[in-house]
Amino acid sequence: MTADISPVGPGECHVWSAEAHWTPGLLDLLDDDERERCAQFRVEGARALYLTAHVLARQVVGAQLSLDPREVVVVPVCKHCTGPGDRPHGKPTLPGTSLELSLSHSGQRVMVALTAAGPVGVDVEEIAEGRDLPLDVLSVPERAELELLAPEERPAAFIRYWARKEAVLKATGDGLMVEPSALTVTGPGAPARLLEWRERPEPHLPVRLEDLDAGAGYRAAVAVVGDDDRVDVVHHPLVRVG
Ligand SMILES: CC(C)(COP(=O)(O)OP(=O)(O)OC[C@H]1O[C@@H](n2cnc3c(N)ncnc32)[C@H](O)[C@@H]1OP(=O)(O)O)[C@@H](O)C(=O)NCCC(=O)NCCS
């Protein structure tokens, strides 16, 4: 990998992005569960996304801890399951470290976020032009704001809301088990902020929420739960994993 894997300093959240590539030689870097899951994807594009994301995560965590990527232990934890599930799933955790990890993949794009500043969630989404938008994931104020936009502006605006909301839901580990319409974030024209979380009234969460430049055709955001002003987001240029 040609990534500049600079150390993640205190109070920093680093984000790495990559294009997905199917490189079977990299399967060797995964653990058994990851390899098994990767093999279950029938479409090569989906396998490539999974492989690239999990290898990139292992490489950045390995660099941070001076470990070979194969030695990195990533344990997915689902806060909604009380007993053992069919397979490990949920928010990735790094036991025995103070580091927090999140990963996301969509289209051809992969993102990995790493920080010691607090629980982190990253989300990248491809803009889906020409499809019906699932508007019920938006809160009432978000939907009203979106409907003020010209129809051709709506797909990108919708994905901006979606990435911001899902970044927060991934940081808390709730994922889509929580109704995304319960959250209200700022609209696409304004800096990213969590405005309201219905059912978790103020003070709901201090969250540092920031948009990331994911390139044309994508929108992305990262959220770190913790003191709003103290986290510095460092987004590295696109790397090639392989
Ligand atoms: C996980 C979820 C937030 C992912 O959204 P997405 O846009 O489809 O996918 P992304 O690429 O952005 O993120 C996927 C990654 O998020 C991580 N993830 C999974 N669950 C997570 C959670 N609850 N919180 C934070 N991160 C989570 C995983 O690392 C996953 O990567 P992997 O699938 O390669 O292992 C969403 O699909 C979800 O909540 N699913 C779980 C539904 C559920 O909980 N079902 C019942 C469980 S008991």
Side-chain angles (χ1 to χ4, degrees):
M1 183 170 86
T2 51
D4 158 30
I5 306 191
S6 47
V8 177
E12 290 179 348
C13 172
H14 286 228
V15 182
W16 290 266
S17 312
E19 285 288 327
H21 286 280
W22 177 239
T23 316
L26 294 177
L27 285 167
D28 184 41
L29 301 185
L30 303 183
D31 69 21
D32 290 345
D33 287 332
E34 289 172 321
R35 258 193 301 276
E36 193 183 321
R37 174 114 186 268
C38 198
Q40 287 167 355
F41 293 105
R42 296 202 176 155
V43 179
E44 185 173 296
R47 272 202 304 274
L49 270 182
Y50 183 91
L51 178 65
T52 307
H54 287 255
V55 167
L56 180 60
R58 286 178 168 276
Q59 288 178 324
V60 300
V61 176
Q64 189 68 21
L65 300 176
S66 304
L67 293 174
D68 184 276
R70 293 172 193 82
E71 296 171 329
V72 171
V73 177
V74 183
V75 179
V77 174
C78 175
K79 74 190 243 185
H80 303 288
C81 289
T82 47
D86 325 353
R87 59 165 181 84
H89 64 278
K91 186 172 170 59
T93 66
L94 300 166
T97 80
S98 56
L99 293 171
E100 298 273 348
L101 172 70
S102 181
L103 57 91
S104 183
H105 31 64
S106 178
Q108 293 285 314
R109 189 71 87 246
V110 158
M111 285 194 173
V112 170
L114 189 68
T115 182
V120 65
V122 70
D123 193 56
V124 59
E125 297 288 339
E126 189 173 31
I127 300 168
E129 300 281 359
R131 276 192 243 154
D132 284 344
L133 302 175
L135 295 177
D136 55 344
V137 303
L138 300 183
S139 65
V140 172
E142 288 168 346
R143 198 167 166 160
E145 206 172 27
L146 187 86
E147 281 165 0
L148 292 175
L149 298 175
E152 65 276 15
E153 293 174 325
R154 288 182 198 165
F158 174 83
I159 295 294
R160 177 68 82 200
Y161 281 115
W162 179 245
R164 289 175 176 179
K165 287 151 83 85
E166 202 171 318
V168 174
L169 290 172
K170 288 175 77 177
T172 58
D174 288 296
L176 297 179
M177 294 298 281
V178 163
E179 186 47 64
S181 63
L183 279 69
T184 299
V185 295
T186 43
R193 266 183 56 221
L194 173 64
L195 296 174
E196 193 196 353
W197 189 330
R198 212 176 56 230
E199 289 132 31
R200 293 191 203 182
E202 293 270 9
H204 42 77
L205 282 175
V207 177
R208 169 92 163 89
L209 183 58
E210 188 159 317
D211 293 332
L212 301 166
D213 181 0
Y218 294 89
R219 295 291 181 267
V222 65
V224 183
V225 178
D227 189 338
D228 201 18
D229 294 327
R230 287 197 350 240
V231 184
D232 244 343
V233 174
V234 181
H235 187 191
H236 297 275
L238 207 61
V239 298
R240 185 181 162 107
V241 177

